[in-house]
PDB file of all heavy atoms in Angstrom:
ATOM      1  N   MET A1520     -44.700   2.452  59.778  1.00 52.00           N
ATOM      2  CA  MET A1520     -43.360   2.038  60.008  1.00 52.00           C
ATOM      3  C   MET A1520     -43.063   2.005  61.600  1.00 52.00           C
ATOM      4  O   MET A1520     -41.869   1.969  61.889  1.00 52.00           O
ATOM      5  CB  MET A1520     -42.439   2.943  59.379  1.00 52.00           C
ATOM      6  CG  MET A1520     -42.406   2.696  57.780  1.00 52.00           C
ATOM      7  SD  MET A1520     -41.532   1.224  57.424  1.00 52.00           S
ATOM      8  CE  MET A1520     -39.893   1.635  57.990  1.00 52.00           C
ATOM      9  N   LYS A1521     -44.088   1.938  62.281  1.00 56.00           N
ATOM     10  CA  LYS A1521     -43.854   2.014  63.867  1.00 56.00           C
ATOM     11  C   LYS A1521     -42.914   0.930  64.280  1.00 56.00           C
ATOM     12  O   LYS A1521     -41.952   1.099  65.051  1.00 56.00           O
ATOM     13  CB  LYS A1521     -45.175   2.035  64.485  1.00 56.00           C
ATOM     14  CG  LYS A1521     -45.077   2.180  65.955  1.00 56.00           C
ATOM     15  CD  LYS A1521     -46.423   2.165  66.584  1.00 56.00           C
ATOM     16  CE  LYS A1521     -46.478   1.235  67.764  1.00 56.00           C
ATOM     17  NZ  LYS A1521     -47.829   1.013  68.326  1.00 56.00           N
ATOM     18  N   ASP A1522     -43.243  -0.257  63.820  1.00 58.00           N
ATOM     19  CA  ASP A1522     -42.436  -1.483  64.207  1.00 58.00           C
ATOM     20  C   ASP A1522     -41.405  -1.933  63.170  1.00 58.00           C
ATOM     21  O   ASP A1522     -40.641  -2.838  63.317  1.00 58.00           O
ATOM     22  CB  ASP A1522     -43.305  -2.694  64.501  1.00 58.00           C
ATOM     23  CG  ASP A1522     -44.179  -2.408  65.779  1.00 58.00           C
ATOM     24  OD1 ASP A1522     -43.771  -1.616  66.699  1.00 58.00           O
ATOM     25  OD2 ASP A1522     -45.325  -2.895  65.853  1.00 58.00           O
ATOM     26  N   GLY A1523     -41.467  -1.287  61.950  1.00 66.00           N
ATOM     27  CA  GLY A1523     -40.663  -1.739  60.927  1.00 66.00           C
ATOM     28  C   GLY A1523     -39.286  -0.994  60.807  1.00 66.00           C
ATOM     29  O   GLY A1523     -39.224   0.175  61.181  1.00 66.00           O
ATOM     30  N   ILE A1524     -38.287  -1.622  60.333  1.00 80.00           N
ATOM     31  CA  ILE A1524     -36.924  -0.998  60.235  1.00 80.00           C
ATOM     32  C   ILE A1524     -36.353  -1.473  58.859  1.00 80.00           C
ATOM     33  O   ILE A1524     -36.801  -2.436  58.286  1.00 80.00           O
ATOM     34  CB  ILE A1524     -35.984  -1.272  61.318  1.00 80.00           C
ATOM     35  CG1 ILE A1524     -35.809  -2.760  61.384  1.00 80.00           C
ATOM     36  CG2 ILE A1524     -36.473  -0.729  62.599  1.00 80.00           C
ATOM     37  CD1 ILE A1524     -34.550  -3.165  62.312  1.00 80.00           C
ATOM     38  N   ALA A1525     -35.487  -0.661  58.345  1.00 83.00           N
ATOM     39  CA  ALA A1525     -34.712  -1.082  57.144  1.00 83.00           C
ATOM     40  C   ALA A1525     -33.639  -2.043  57.406  1.00 83.00           C
ATOM     41  O   ALA A1525     -32.875  -1.854  58.351  1.00 83.00           O
ATOM     42  CB  ALA A1525     -34.105   0.156  56.418  1.00 83.00           C
ATOM     43  N   VAL A1526     -33.651  -3.230  56.790  1.00 87.00           N
ATOM     44  CA  VAL A1526     -32.625  -4.278  56.946  1.00 87.00           C
ATOM     45  C   VAL A1526     -32.042  -4.561  55.619  1.00 87.00           C
ATOM     46  O   VAL A1526     -32.723  -4.582  54.632  1.00 87.00           O
ATOM     47  CB  VAL A1526     -33.284  -5.547  57.506  1.00 87.00           C
ATOM     48  CG1 VAL A1526     -32.319  -6.657  57.696  1.00 87.00           C
ATOM     49  CG2 VAL A1526     -33.932  -5.250  58.760  1.00 87.00           C
ATOM     50  N   TYR A1527     -30.733  -4.747  55.546  1.00 91.00           N
ATOM     51  CA  TYR A1527     -30.010  -5.026  54.326  1.00 91.00           C
ATOM     52  C   TYR A1527     -29.572  -6.426  54.382  1.00 91.00           C
ATOM     53  O   TYR A1527     -28.870  -6.810  55.348  1.00 91.00           O
ATOM     54  CB  TYR A1527     -28.872  -4.029  54.132  1.00 91.00           C
ATOM     55  CG  TYR A1527     -29.479  -2.600  53.958  1.00 91.00           C
ATOM     56  CD1 TYR A1527     -29.771  -1.798  55.088  1.00 91.00           C
ATOM     57  CD2 TYR A1527     -29.611  -2.004  52.715  1.00 91.00           C
ATOM     58  CE1 TYR A1527     -30.276  -0.578  54.894  1.00 91.00           C
ATOM     59  CE2 TYR A1527     -30.099  -0.797  52.508  1.00 91.00           C
ATOM     60  CZ  TYR A1527     -30.441  -0.057  53.653  1.00 91.00           C
ATOM     61  OH  TYR A1527     -30.963   1.257  53.558  1.00 91.00           O
ATOM     62  N   THR A1528     -29.808  -7.176  53.268  1.00 90.00           N
ATOM     63  CA  THR A1528     -29.455  -8.585  53.288  1.00 90.00           C
ATOM     64  C   THR A1528     -28.606  -8.836  52.040  1.00 90.00           C
ATOM     65  O   THR A1528     -28.736  -8.248  50.937  1.00 90.00           O
ATOM     66  CB  THR A1528     -30.673  -9.450  53.326  1.00 90.00           C
ATOM     67  OG1 THR A1528     -31.443  -9.123  52.155  1.00 90.00           O
ATOM     68  CG2 THR A1528     -31.440  -9.385  54.572  1.00 90.00           C
ATOM     69  N   GLY A1529     -27.671  -9.897  52.181  1.00 92.00           N
ATOM     70  CA  GLY A1529     -26.905 -10.321  51.074  1.00 92.00           C
ATOM     71  C   GLY A1529     -26.828 -11.772  51.112  1.00 92.00           C
ATOM     72  O   GLY A1529     -26.885 -12.410  52.179  1.00 92.00           O
ATOM     73  N   HIS A1530     -26.556 -12.446  49.938  1.00 92.00           N
ATOM     74  CA  HIS A1530     -26.597 -13.931  49.914  1.00 92.00           C
ATOM     75  C   HIS A1530     -25.304 -14.400  49.225  1.00 92.00           C
ATOM     76  O   HIS A1530     -24.870 -13.745  48.283  1.00 92.00           O
ATOM     77  CB  HIS A1530     -27.805 -14.557  49.240  1.00 92.00           C
ATOM     78  CG  HIS A1530     -29.086 -13.886  49.800  1.00 92.00           C
ATOM     79  ND1 HIS A1530     -29.545 -14.303  51.133  1.00 92.00           N
ATOM     80  CD2 HIS A1530     -29.984 -13.082  49.351  1.00 92.00           C
ATOM     81  CE1 HIS A1530     -30.721 -13.673  51.320  1.00 92.00           C
ATOM     82  NE2 HIS A1530     -30.950 -12.873  50.286  1.00 92.00           N
ATOM     83  N   PHE A1531     -24.834 -15.453  49.684  1.00 92.00           N
ATOM     84  CA  PHE A1531     -23.534 -16.090  49.071  1.00 92.00           C
ATOM     85  C   PHE A1531     -23.688 -17.456  48.892  1.00 92.00           C
ATOM     86  O   PHE A1531     -24.333 -18.247  49.655  1.00 92.00           O
ATOM     87  CB  PHE A1531     -22.401 -15.799  50.067  1.00 92.00           C
ATOM     88  CG  PHE A1531     -22.128 -14.293  50.318  1.00 92.00           C
ATOM     89  CD1 PHE A1531     -22.846 -13.688  51.340  1.00 92.00           C
ATOM     90  CD2 PHE A1531     -21.392 -13.549  49.584  1.00 92.00           C
ATOM     91  CE1 PHE A1531     -22.741 -12.303  51.686  1.00 92.00           C
ATOM     92  CE2 PHE A1531     -21.203 -12.158  49.833  1.00 92.00           C
ATOM     93  CZ  PHE A1531     -21.890 -11.535  50.890  1.00 92.00           C
ATOM     94  N   ASP A1532     -22.991 -18.027  47.888  1.00 91.00           N
ATOM     95  CA  ASP A1532     -22.942 -19.572  47.591  1.00 91.00           C
ATOM     96  C   ASP A1532     -21.899 -20.132  48.412  1.00 91.00           C
ATOM     97  O   ASP A1532     -21.245 -19.505  49.316  1.00 91.00           O
ATOM     98  CB  ASP A1532     -22.867 -19.806  46.125  1.00 91.00           C
ATOM     99  CG  ASP A1532     -21.517 -19.300  45.507  1.00 91.00           C
ATOM    100  OD1 ASP A1532     -20.569 -18.914  46.236  1.00 91.00           O
ATOM    101  OD2 ASP A1532     -21.385 -19.352  44.319  1.00 91.00           O
ATOM    102  N   GLU A1533     -21.674 -21.515  48.220  1.00 90.00           N
ATOM    103  CA  GLU A1533     -20.741 -22.168  48.996  1.00 90.00           C
ATOM    104  C   GLU A1533     -19.269 -21.760  48.902  1.00 90.00           C
ATOM    105  O   GLU A1533     -18.398 -22.070  49.568  1.00 90.00           O
ATOM    106  CB  GLU A1533     -20.801 -23.714  48.659  1.00 90.00           C
ATOM    107  CG  GLU A1533     -20.419 -24.135  47.285  1.00 90.00           C
ATOM    108  CD  GLU A1533     -21.631 -23.919  46.286  1.00 90.00           C
ATOM    109  OE1 GLU A1533     -22.762 -23.673  46.749  1.00 90.00           O
ATOM    110  OE2 GLU A1533     -21.307 -24.140  45.103  1.00 90.00           O
ATOM    111  N   ASN A1534     -18.942 -20.881  47.714  1.00 90.00           N
ATOM    112  CA  ASN A1534     -17.599 -20.443  47.477  1.00 90.00           C
ATOM    113  C   ASN A1534     -17.502 -18.950  48.008  1.00 90.00           C
ATOM    114  O   ASN A1534     -16.618 -18.257  47.570  1.00 90.00           O
ATOM    115  CB  ASN A1534     -17.296 -20.496  46.024  1.00 90.00           C
ATOM    116  CG  ASN A1534     -17.199 -21.977  45.598  1.00 90.00           C
ATOM    117  OD1 ASN A1534     -16.713 -22.777  46.339  1.00 90.00           O
ATOM    118  ND2 ASN A1534     -17.770 -22.257  44.418  1.00 90.00           N
ATOM    119  N   TRP A1535     -18.585 -18.449  48.751  1.00 90.00           N
ATOM    120  CA  TRP A1535     -18.638 -17.104  49.154  1.00 90.00           C
ATOM    121  C   TRP A1535     -18.681 -16.057  48.087  1.00 90.00           C
ATOM    122  O   TRP A1535     -18.293 -14.935  48.217  1.00 90.00           O
ATOM    123  CB  TRP A1535     -17.473 -16.791  50.107  1.00 90.00           C
ATOM    124  CG  TRP A1535     -17.490 -17.499  51.337  1.00 90.00           C
ATOM    125  CD1 TRP A1535     -17.038 -18.709  51.756  1.00 90.00           C
ATOM    126  CD2 TRP A1535     -18.129 -17.010  52.594  1.00 90.00           C
ATOM    127  NE1 TRP A1535     -17.367 -19.057  52.967  1.00 90.00           N
ATOM    128  CE2 TRP A1535     -18.063 -18.032  53.533  1.00 90.00           C
ATOM    129  CE3 TRP A1535     -18.879 -15.896  52.870  1.00 90.00           C
ATOM    130  CZ2 TRP A1535     -18.612 -17.950  54.825  1.00 90.00           C
ATOM    131  CZ3 TRP A1535     -19.499 -15.806  54.265  1.00 90.00           C
ATOM    132  CH2 TRP A1535     -19.268 -16.833  55.096  1.00 90.00           C
ATOM    133  N   GLU A1536     -19.254 -16.452  46.884  1.00 91.00           N
ATOM    134  CA  GLU A1536     -19.532 -15.596  45.746  1.00 91.00           C
ATOM    135  C   GLU A1536     -20.991 -14.994  45.964  1.00 91.00           C
ATOM    136  O   GLU A1536     -21.878 -15.736  46.274  1.00 91.00           O
ATOM    137  CB  GLU A1536     -19.467 -16.312  44.403  1.00 91.00           C
ATOM    138  CG  GLU A1536     -18.004 -16.808  44.217  1.00 91.00           C
ATOM    139  CD  GLU A1536     -16.942 -15.866  43.977  1.00 91.00           C
ATOM    140  OE1 GLU A1536     -17.269 -14.756  43.504  1.00 91.00           O
ATOM    141  OE2 GLU A1536     -15.855 -16.119  44.421  1.00 91.00           O
ATOM    142  N   THR A1537     -21.120 -13.699  45.735  1.00 89.00           N
ATOM    143  CA  THR A1537     -22.417 -13.094  45.826  1.00 89.00           C
ATOM    144  C   THR A1537     -23.505 -13.738  44.839  1.00 89.00           C
ATOM    145  O   THR A1537     -23.212 -13.824  43.607  1.00 89.00           O
ATOM    146  CB  THR A1537     -22.276 -11.551  45.556  1.00 89.00           C
ATOM    147  OG1 THR A1537     -21.350 -10.993  46.447  1.00 89.00           O
ATOM    148  CG2 THR A1537     -23.561 -10.938  45.724  1.00 89.00           C
TER     149      THR A1537
END
Side-chain angles (χ1 to χ4, degrees):
M1520 286 290 293
K1521 185 176 134 189
D1522 296 328
I1524 61 170
V1526 178
Y1527 295 81
T1528 57
H1530 308 291
F1531 302 89
D1532 64 10
E1533 64 276 352
N1534 297 319
W1535 290 88
E1536 298 293 326
T1537 305

